[in-house]
Amino acid sequence: MGVAKKQAVRNKQAIIAAASRVFRERGVDGVGVADIMLEAGFTHGGFYNHFESKSDLAGQVCAAAFADGLSDLKSVVDQSLATDPRAFRRALENYLSKGVRDDPGQACPTATFAADAPRQGEGMQKAYAEGMQGFVDTIEQYFAQRDGLSAPVARERAMEVLVTLVGAITIARGVGAAAPRLSDSFLKAARRKLPD
Amino acid sequence: MGVAKKQAVRNKQAIIAAASRVFRERGVDGVGVADIMLEAGFTHGGFYNHFESKSDLAGQVCAAAFADGLSDLKSVVDQSLATDPRAFRRALENYLSKGVRDDPGQACPTATFAADAPRQGEGMQKAYAEGMQGFVDTIEQYFAQRDGLSAPVARERAMEVLVTLVGAITIARGVGAAAPRLSDSFLKAARRKLPD
DNA sequence: TGTACATCAGTGAACGCGCGTTCACTGATGTAC
DNA sequence: TGTACATCAGTGAACGCGCGTTCACTGATGTAC
């Protein structure tokens, strides 16, 4: 069809964005390449102009999702340290909300890609591990700076927070459709356990 | 081939056991019916003598896995209340061990089926929700009895424990292959946060 | 207890379908002159 | 600035393959007499 280079780059990002959403909703194994391309507004043949394979895409999707998530997290952390000390806590509570639970397509990759990562290729495993590392580092630094904690203590707290977030949202989604009230109580219990 | 009724029942259980293992290792969408039957030692054609569909199997597998898990949990709880007060805590620590992390095929369904449940059919969703409900109830009763807590408080603690277990093992598996040391520290941090 | 027959778990070939991937083709873009 | 041509993103048909499921067949099991 003839497409400008800049447009091609934008199209690739649109494919990644579409895949990012449907992968989180239905799992990497639950969507086909043709579905993804259709969601992005293209026919499926062009896929291999942008990606080596579906597995390659999965890795790039995971990396991009973590990059977005980390950038969001960093601005929340900066905001908390500078002007609005409650911003961090608010972000955690928002993560454990019904809205996030019921819309995995938009949600943080920590939970949505956790199950796919070990089952997909090396690229996705690496992206997931590096992404989690970035989250741990950022939260660790936040706790260290805010509460004057030593690095190891702050690090452990950061990991505890991530464990609570991922555990609660994972369970809440798992029981969600069949037991909505149980699902809500898991979110509530986890919210109450969060640090300030 | 001609097979006794008792043997047929045993064969069905063998299929469920094989599926239970490979579903946890590779995800429900990651294994085919033929694979499962081969793992169980049969050809694939006989599958539909036992199950209506793959989705039906997934539901039965999830229910059976939770029944096993719940029965294990109940005997640990009984043991803790009767003769060995540390048995419960030991079981939790064992859940968060490298052995369990690296062998999902044998592991507790709370974490391994959490991601599949919302994406598979109604049967699996129901089995997962009922299974989690059973776990919550059992742990709640344990805390209530052991520490003389009111039901709501004991319930919230039970949910906190489950959130920690599922979150830690999910993240540990997710980062496991690409970042083994990070994975270990998540398990460690979660173990340290467990109640006695 | 022995015989004839219906049942039905397991076999293995076959079904249509959708998957990931390839390919010849197209035409606007971007470059060389 | 205008023209001729190479590039390459996107199209849509096609590839082989493995999926979930169906089916005719088999023979030991279990039952009726």
Side-chain angles (χ1 to χ4, degrees), chain B residues 98-144:
Chain B
K98 295 178 197 179
V100 169
R101 177 194 63 194
D102 298 335
D103 189 10
Q106 312 266 12
C108 182
T110 46
T112 36
F113 288 145
D116 281 315
R119 291 165 182 168
Q120 302 298 325
E122 234 177 280
M124 187 159 189
Q125 286 176 28
K126 214 180 144 210
Y128 185 80
E130 283 173 5
M132 284 302 294
Q133 184 73 66
F135 269 61
V136 171
D137 291 346
T138 304
I139 301 178
E140 171 194 330
Q141 281 160 32
Y142 171 68
F143 283 150

Side-chain angles (χ1 to χ4, degrees), chain B residues 71-93:
Chain B
S71 122
D72 288 353
L73 176 63
K74 280 187 172 157
S75 70
V76 166
V77 157
D78 289 346
Q79 198 185 342
S80 264
L81 290 173
T83 61
D84 181 3
R86 295 192 168 179
F88 183 73
R89 169 75 199 229
R90 270 205 319 276
L92 298 189
E93 294 202 353

Side-chain angles (χ1 to χ4, degrees), chain A residues 73 88-97 100-101 108 110-112 132 135 139 143 157-173 186-187 190-191 193-195, chain B residues 160 163-164 166-168 170-171 186 193:
Chain A
L73 176 64
F88 183 72
R89 170 77 200 227
R90 270 207 318 277
L92 298 188
E93 294 203 352
N94 176 62
Y95 185 99
L96 292 176
S97 68
V100 169
R101 177 194 64 194
C108 183
T110 47
T112 36
M132 284 302 295
F135 270 59
I139 301 177
F143 283 149
R157 285 219 192 147
M159 289 193 286
E160 285 173 13
V161 166
L162 285 167
V163 162
T164 300
L165 294 181
V166 170
I169 204 80
T170 299
I171 295 176
R173 285 194 185 122
F186 267 108
L187 292 181
R191 273 202 302 270
K193 192 176 54 156
L194 288 174
Chain B
E160 284 172 13
V163 162
T164 300
V166 170
T170 299
I171 295 176
F186 267 107
K193 192 176 55 157

Side-chain angles (χ1 to χ4, degrees), chain A residues 106-126:
Chain A
Q106 311 267 13
C108 183
T110 47
T112 36
F113 288 144
D116 281 316
R119 291 165 182 167
Q120 302 297 327
E122 233 177 280
M124 186 160 189
Q125 286 176 29
K126 215 181 144 208

